[in-house]
Amino acid sequence: MFKKILIANRGEIALRVIRTCKEMGISTVAVYSTADKESLHVRFADEAVCIGPPQSSLSYLSIPNIISAAEITNADAIHPGYGFLSENSKFSKICEEHEIKFLGPSPDMIDQMGDKSTAIKTAQKAKVPTIPGSNGLLESVEQAKKIAKKIEYPVLLKATAGGGGKGMRIVWNEEELEPLLNSAKQEARNAFGNDGMYMEKYLENPRHIEFQIVGDKYGVVCHLSERDCSIQRRHQKLVEETPSPFMTPELRKKMGEAAIKIAKSIRYEGIGTIEFLVDKNRNFYFIEMNTRIQVEHPITEEVINYDLVKEQILVHSGVKLSGKNYEPKLHAIECRINAEDPYNDFRPCPGKITALHKPGGHGVRVDTHTYAGYTVPPFYDSMIAKMITVAQTREEAITKMERALSEYIIEGIKTTIPFHIQLMKNEDFRKGNCTTKFMDTFKLK
Ligand code: MV4
């Protein structure tokens, strides 16, 4: 078992990993930029190393600085969290070369699943449904026009190195294709240094449902059921829940088997998420795989009573999985609380938290690194807390979420709490009628 883990991240996920390490008797090293000197993950870790100035490129994304911190503290493993270097195959490779265990997939595995058009080919080889499209990178505008004609407009252009919607364009007719393809390639080049594009038939109103999977070193893979992440704004997830209100036992069985087939076909090790789109007739299609722990992992933990970070550390230390799949026994919802002003286009609102009261009570979990007097820095992602409620039924989880949100006091900065309070009261949300189009028509009062 690992003796000392360096957490190459910040904020709530750094705190989350430190907590599990402490319970497992594993020593922890925090890394921090000068902007995070007063951050809780620094205070809770056994050791802490400053790795640079506030800019992520010179601190949390600096491979030399993070590897140096691991070397001088003699850490034998690095947990990357999510974002930053968590899906960077070069980082995984350099950890390997320094004989530091990267708590994530191998470099090849990250490359294979991180390249979206390759991931789709992997799913097709595993005989998992994918969306009709180019089945690989687009080579020319002419070829793109031919494929679009065959699968019929509207089509979706996607960046193979992308994710989260960057470099994505909806094309409604042939005239738009060439200009949109060129602008998408330009955006992908700037964002990822890779302008490879692929095409899919655009599904007009799907749900976004992902399956949590875990694989051990011996080829055993199990799934921990789904998370419905359809409520997104500009490709940023706002609310996630499990089980999905759209799921049926038959569909869960089929999608769980499909997720396991993909992971098994590449002998996936560690925890991962298989993302699907589901149409109104409950046809599901693989779209991408994430090879890291996700922001929304706590709702899965709460409904199956399972510590996912502990499982991740155990499988990477060589422990064998039972192979048992998990069905949710409860219902959990997560609201992402951001330091943003929902009344002003969700613009970021960093600053000092002058007063703070966190909700509590039965079935309420708040994952946050904030405290009264903490200053939310302007340099990083605006998420400051995750509010999770868990109950026997979806209705009770919603009621609990409304009660907990109304208790949450954060003064000194604006947050998205008022948005979430209104969302919990929204009729379509309460009925479970949420597709990825939901936010197109949601108006904050
Ligand atoms: C799609 C899609 C519809 N048709 N692909 C967005 C980023 C990635 N996570 C998957 N995404 C989508 N891929 C096809 N062929 C709809 C989404 C999608 C979405 C698209 C536009 C605006 C918001 C969205 C939220 C979730 C998923």
Side-chain angles (χ1 to χ4, degrees), residues 309-328:
V309 170
K310 181 176 178 184
E311 198 65 17
Q312 186 176 26
I313 293 169
L314 289 175
V315 290
H316 284 299
S317 72
V319 167
K320 204 170 159 35
L321 282 171
S322 68
K324 180 168 152 296
N325 294 327
Y326 283 78
E327 314 270 307

Side-chain angles (χ1 to χ4, degrees), residues 131 156 158 200-201 203 208 232 235 277 287-288 436:
I131 302 169
L156 198 57
K158 290 183 172 180
E200 291 177 343
K201 174 76 187 147
L203 301 187
H208 194 124
Q232 304 188 17
H235 304 292
L277 292 180
I287 48 169
E288 53 191 83
T436 52

Side-chain angles (χ1 to χ4, degrees), residues 98-369:
H98 283 257
E99 292 176 0
I100 300 167
K101 178 68 187 147
F102 177 74
L103 296 179
S106 67
D108 299 349
M109 198 76 74
I110 294 178
D111 283 338
Q112 187 169 8
M113 297 319 266
D115 182 275
K116 310 293 175 199
S117 62
T118 309
I120 287 171
K121 284 186 185 153
T122 303
Q124 289 169 340
K125 271 191 219 126
K127 298 194 179 6
V128 168
T130 57
I131 302 169
S134 58
N135 299 330
L137 293 177
L138 294 173
E139 305 300 331
S140 69
V141 174
E142 292 64 39
Q143 180 218 19
K145 286 181 177 173
K146 226 167 95 191
I147 295 167
K149 213 176 194 123
K150 188 160 150 261
I151 61 177
E152 292 179 6
Y153 291 93
V155 298
L156 198 57
L157 297 172
K158 290 183 172 180
T160 196
K166 269 214 181 96
M168 220 169 87
R169 297 289 187 282
I170 304 174
V171 185
W172 295 95
N173 53 59
E174 185 164 280
E175 291 68 40
E176 289 182 350
L177 203 151
E178 183 159 7
L180 285 175
L181 181 57
N182 292 333
S183 77
K185 286 180 87 71
Q186 187 54 49
E187 185 179 335
R189 211 172 288 129
N190 297 343
F192 315 113
N194 173 345
D195 68 357
M197 299 297 294
Y198 63 102
M199 183 192 287
E200 291 177 343
K201 174 76 187 147
Y202 178 59
L203 301 187
E204 300 270 352
N205 210 358
R207 279 176 170 75
H208 194 124
I209 297 177
E210 61 189 30
F211 267 71
Q212 183 68 61
I213 53 110
V214 197
D216 67 15
K217 287 182 172 315
Y218 315 98
V220 176
V221 178
C222 60
H223 80 75
L224 309 180
S225 290
E226 80 278 0
R227 293 186 289 259
D228 192 316
C229 308
S230 301
I231 301 181
Q232 304 188 17
R233 181 177 178 280
R234 296 184 190 163
H235 304 292
Q236 288 298 319
K237 295 168 183 170
L238 299 171
V239 177
E240 304 96 348
E241 66 178 297
T242 180
S244 166
F246 197 58
M247 193 54 74
T248 64
E250 303 71 31
L251 183 59
R252 178 177 292 118
K253 188 170 180 306
K254 284 199 290 185
M255 291 180 77
E257 283 165 0
I260 288 173
K261 268 199 304 185
I262 293 175
K264 273 198 166 156
S265 74
I266 55 173
R267 278 189 71 82
Y268 189 75
E269 276 177 35
I271 62 170
T273 300
I274 308 284
E275 283 191 16
F276 297 98
L277 292 180
V278 183
D279 70 17
K280 60 183 183 310
N281 303 318
R282 288 193 170 85
N283 299 306
F284 64 91
Y285 306 93
F286 169 82
I287 48 169
E288 53 191 83
M289 177 177 189
N290 302 318
T291 59
R292 65 181 188 275
I293 193 161
Q294 303 220 204
V295 170
E296 59 269 26
H297 78 272
I299 57 175
T300 298
E301 293 189 319
E302 292 302 319
V303 299
I304 59 172
N305 189 21
Y306 194 101
D307 182 329
L308 257 170
V309 170
K310 181 176 178 184
E311 198 65 17
Q312 186 176 26
I313 293 169
L314 289 175
V315 290
H316 284 299
S317 72
V319 167
K320 204 170 159 35
L321 282 171
S322 68
K324 180 168 152 296
N325 294 327
Y326 283 78
E327 314 270 307
K329 304 279 174 287
L330 299 164
H331 198 104
I333 300 174
E334 175 183 87
C335 289
R336 298 190 187 196
I337 313 287
N338 296 343
E340 295 171 349
D341 183 353
Y343 297 99
N344 275 296
D345 201 29
F346 289 81
R347 67 177 174 73
C349 291
K352 183 169 186 156
I353 294 175
T354 52
L356 181 74
H357 171 75
K358 281 188 276 190
H362 180 249
V364 176
R365 167 176 167 178
V366 183
D367 279 19
T368 184
H369 57 296

